[in-house]
C-alpha cells in the first residue's frame, strides 16, 4: 500500500529563497562575530533600533547596549563563544532616538566560523507592564503597612477614653446619687465622649490625608498622555502594524491623575494588540465625547473580542483571564478599573466574540 506522498515530486531545498526568512521575519534576527561586531542585521532589527548600516556594522555591539547591562551581556557573550547556546537572555538596548528597548535573545554559536546566530523578541511593552505591576504591589504593600500601623495605634490609643467611660459607669448608682452628683457625672461622661470622638476624628483625618497625598489630581490632556504612551511602545505598534485613529476634539482635558491615565492607555493599547484577530491589521480608535457635562473616553478595537454577557463582572477581576494567550495575566483590566473607580469614575465594556471590544470611561 502506497503512502499519500509516495508519488509527490521532491523539492530541492536550495530552490527556496532562504534569505526571505531573514529579510521578511518580524522577529529580530542578526549574525554577530566573536569579535563583538554585527556581521548581518535583518530589516526588523534595523527598524527597531533606528541606526544606519554604517553605524550598526562599524560600532561595537556594546555601544548599543544599555550601560547597566554591559557586564551581564559581556558575560553571556563569553559563554556563547565557549560553545554554549544561550536561551531567553534579556537585556536592554538603546535606540538611535534614545528609547530603552528590552530584548529577549536566543543565540547559537558557530565556533568554526566564529559567528553567533541570534534571534530576539521585543519585550519592551511587557517590561513596562511588569514594572507598573511591581510599583502597584509596592504601593499596596506600603498602604497595608500604614493601615496596620494605624490599626495598632487606634487600638492602643482608644483604650484610655473607653476605659475612662467604663470607670464612670462603674461609679453610677442612680438610687443613692444626689442631683448635684448626677449632673457632675453627666458632665464627666460628656467630656469623655467628646475625647473619644476627637480621637476617632483624628484617625479618620489622618487616613484621608494619606489617601490624598498618595494620589494627586491635576488637569491632564488626553492627547498628551496617549501620545506619550504610544511613543513608549512605538516599536510594538510598528511591528504589529497597528493603526491608531484619535479624535479628542469633544474634550481633551480632564481632572485626573497623570500616572493613572498613562497606565490606562498602556494597558488598553497592549491588550488590543495582544488580542488582535489573526490575519487582520489591528485597528484602534480613540475619541472623547461629552455626556451629561462629563467627559468620556471611548477606546475600541477590531480584535478577537469577548462575550460581555457571559463574563459579566469578572471582566475587571484580579487575575481573571478569558483567552488562551500565554501573555495574559488578568492584571491589565483590573488596574484600569482600579485607577478609574478609585478616583470616582466608571468604566463600561461592550464586546462580542470576533467583533472587537469597546471601553467607555467616564471621568
Amino acid at each position: 500500500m502506497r503512502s499519500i506522498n509516495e508519488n509527490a515530486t521532491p523539492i530541492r531545498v536550495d530552490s527556496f529563497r532562504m534569505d526571505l526568512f531573514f529579510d521578511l521575519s518580524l522577529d529580530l534576527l542578526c549574525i554577530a562575530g566573536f569579535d563583538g561586531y554585527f556581521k548581518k542585521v535583518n530589516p526588523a532589527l534595523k527598524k527597531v533600533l533606528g541606526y544606519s548600516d554604517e553605524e550598526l556594522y562599524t560600532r561595537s555591539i556594546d555601544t548599543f547596549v544599555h550601560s547597566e547591562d554591559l557586564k551581564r551581556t559581556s558575560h553571556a557573550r563569553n559563554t556563547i563563544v565557549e560553545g554554549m547556546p544561550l536561551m531567553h537572555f534579556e537585556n536592554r538596548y538603546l535606540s538611535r532616538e534614545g528609547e530603552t528597548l528590552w530584548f529577549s535573545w536566543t543565540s547559537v554559536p558557530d565556533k568554526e566560523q566564529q559567528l553567533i546566530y541570534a534571534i530576539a523578541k521585543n519585550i519592551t511593552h511587557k517590561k513596562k507592564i511588569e514594572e507598573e505591576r511591581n510599583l502597584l504591589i509596592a504601593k499596596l504593600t506600603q498602604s497595608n503597612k500604614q493601615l496596620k500601623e494605624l490599626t495598632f495605634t487606634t487600638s492602643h490609643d482608644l483604650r484610655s477614653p473607653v476605659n475612662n467611660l467604663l470607670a464612670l459607669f462603674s461609679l453610677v448608682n442612680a438610687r443613692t446619687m444626689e442631683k448635684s452628683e448626677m449632673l457632675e457625672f453627666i458632665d464627666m461622661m460628656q467630656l469623655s465622649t467628646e475625647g473619644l470622638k476627637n480621637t476617632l476624628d483624628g484617625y479618620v483625618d489622618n487616613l484621608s490625608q494619606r489617601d490624598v497625598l498618595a494620589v494627586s489630581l491635576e488637569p491632564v490632556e488626553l492627547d498628551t498622555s496617549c501620545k506619550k504612551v504610544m511613543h513608549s511602545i512605538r516599536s510594538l505598534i510598528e511591528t504589529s502594524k497597528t493603526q491608531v485613529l484619535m479624535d479628542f476634539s469633544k474634550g481633551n482635558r480632564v481632572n485626573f491623575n497623570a500616572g493613572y491615565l498613562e497606565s490606562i492607555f498602556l494597558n488598553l493599547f497592549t491588550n488590543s494588540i495582544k488580542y488582535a484577530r489573526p490575519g487582520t491589521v489591528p485597528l484602534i480608535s480613540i475619541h472623547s465625547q461629552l455626556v451629561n457635562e462629563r467627559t468620556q473616553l471611548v477606546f475600541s478595537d477590531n480584535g478577537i473580542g469577548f462575550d460581555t454577557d457571559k463574563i459579566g463582572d469578572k471582566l475587571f477581576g484580579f487575575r481573571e483571564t478569558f483567552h488562551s494567550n500565554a501573555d495574559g495575566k488578568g492584571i491589565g483590566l483590573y488596574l484600569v478599573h482600579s485607577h478609574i473607580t478609585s478616583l470616582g469614575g466608571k468604566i463600561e465594556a461592550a464586546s462580542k466574540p470576533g467583533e472587537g471590544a469597546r471601553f467607555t470611561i467616564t471621568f
Side-chain angles (χ1 to χ4, degrees):
M1 184 175 180
R2 292 186 176 184
S3 65
I4 58 174
N5 289 324
E6 187 174 343
N7 294 325
T9 302
I11 300 176
R12 290 170 54 87
V13 175
D14 56 8
S15 67
F16 288 110
R17 290 283 308 280
M18 304 300 290
D19 56 319
L20 292 181
F21 277 106
F22 195 87
D23 293 336
L24 300 182
S25 173
L26 295 179
D27 287 326
L28 315 178
L29 308 176
C30 70
I31 302 173
F34 282 9
D35 59 357
Y37 285 81
F38 285 122
K39 305 303 179 184
K40 189 172 178 61
V41 176
N42 80 326
L45 182 53
K46 290 180 185 178
K47 184 176 182 180
V48 170
L49 290 175
Y51 296 100
S52 65
D53 285 353
E54 182 180 358
E55 291 172 313
L56 288 170
Y57 295 129
T58 60
R59 290 168 50 179
S60 167
I61 295 176
D62 285 345
T63 63
F64 306 112
V65 178
H66 194 287
S67 59
E68 295 179 7
D69 292 345
L70 278 174
K71 187 174 181 180
R72 290 192 309 109
T73 302
S74 177
H75 177 74
R77 186 183 299 119
N78 292 336
T79 300
I80 301 173
V81 169
E82 292 171 2
M84 294 291 294
L86 190 67
M87 304 291 288
H88 309 303
F89 174 75
E90 297 180 359
N91 68 351
R92 288 168 289 181
Y93 274 63
L94 295 176
S95 72
R96 201 174 196 282
E97 296 183 356
E99 180 184 3
T100 299
L101 303 170
W102 275 96
F103 295 151
S104 176
W105 295 93
T106 296
S107 306
V108 179
D110 183 342
K111 297 193 70 172
E112 183 178 344
Q113 297 185 27
Q114 293 196 321
L115 295 175
I116 300 172
Y117 294 85
I119 179 172
K121 295 280 189 182
N122 187 349
I123 58 171
T124 305
H125 63 291
K126 295 182 183 178
K127 287 293 183 179
K128 289 183 181 296
I129 292 177
E130 182 180 313
E131 179 182 3
E132 181 184 81
R133 184 167 63 245
N134 290 338
L135 288 174
L136 174 65
I137 292 173
K139 182 182 289 187
L140 289 174
T141 301
Q142 181 63 25
S143 297
N144 184 57
K145 180 181 178 181
Q146 292 177 348
L147 288 173
K148 186 180 290 185
E149 292 174 354
L150 184 62
T151 301
F152 289 151
T153 304
T154 304
S155 300
H156 178 270
D157 291 355
L158 286 180
R159 293 177 64 188
S160 295
V162 170
N163 285 336
N164 193 31
L165 282 172
L166 292 174
L168 286 173
F169 281 114
S170 67
L171 298 176
V172 174
N173 189 336
R175 295 179 181 178
T176 60
M177 290 181 67
E178 300 289 338
K179 183 177 180 180
S180 59
E181 292 176 329
M182 180 65 73
L183 292 174
E184 183 181 357
F185 168 77
I186 292 174
D187 289 339
M188 293 173 62
M189 188 168 65
Q190 182 178 355
L191 288 174
S192 295
T193 304
E194 288 177 352
L196 178 60
K197 179 181 181 297
N198 291 334
T199 301
L200 286 172
D201 286 345
Y203 292 131
V204 172
D205 290 342
N206 184 31
L207 185 59
S208 299
Q209 288 173 3
R210 291 186 185 188
D211 286 343
V212 171
L213 291 174
V215 182
S216 60
L217 294 176
E218 57 188 322
V220 291
E221 295 182 345
L222 295 175
D223 64 347
T224 301
S225 295
C226 185
K227 290 174 182 177
K228 183 176 181 181
V229 170
M230 288 179 64
H231 179 74
S232 71
I233 58 171
R234 177 177 57 85
S235 54
L236 173 65
I237 292 175
E238 292 180 356
T239 301
S240 61
K241 296 182 172 58
T242 299
Q243 298 180 8
V244 181
L245 304 176
M246 290 187 297
D247 180 10
F248 300 114
S249 59
K250 298 296 178 62
N252 186 39
R253 179 170 291 190
V254 295
N255 195 41
F256 204 67
N257 179 269
Y260 278 12
L261 185 58
E262 291 171 17
S263 173
I264 290 168
F265 275 124
L266 176 64
N267 282 288
L268 291 180
F269 265 113
T270 52
N271 268 8
S272 291
I273 297 174
K274 184 191 306 179
Y275 298 113
R277 268 187 295 164
T280 302
V281 174
L283 176 62
I284 296 175
S285 174
I286 315 166
H287 71 271
S288 60
Q289 59 189 25
L290 201 61
V291 177
N292 296 328
E293 298 184 348
R294 299 186 71 180
T295 301
Q296 290 185 334
L297 173 69
V298 182
F299 192 106
S300 58
D301 62 46
N302 64 340
I304 59 177
F306 46 84
D307 191 339
T308 48
D309 293 334
K310 182 178 179 181
I311 293 173
D313 294 336
K314 293 182 179 180
L315 179 61
F316 302 109
F318 184 65
R319 299 191 68 84
E320 291 282 358
T321 57
F322 310 102
H323 296 293
S324 58
N325 192 308
D327 292 338
K329 304 298 182 185
I331 302 293
L333 289 181
Y334 168 79
L335 288 176
V336 170
H337 181 267
S338 176
H339 292 336
I340 295 166
T341 56
S342 67
L343 297 182
K346 68 176 182 178
I347 178 171
E348 299 170 289
S351 178
K352 292 182 179 180
E355 297 183 13
R358 176 187 177 98
F359 296 93
T360 302
I361 298 169
T362 304
F363 293 97

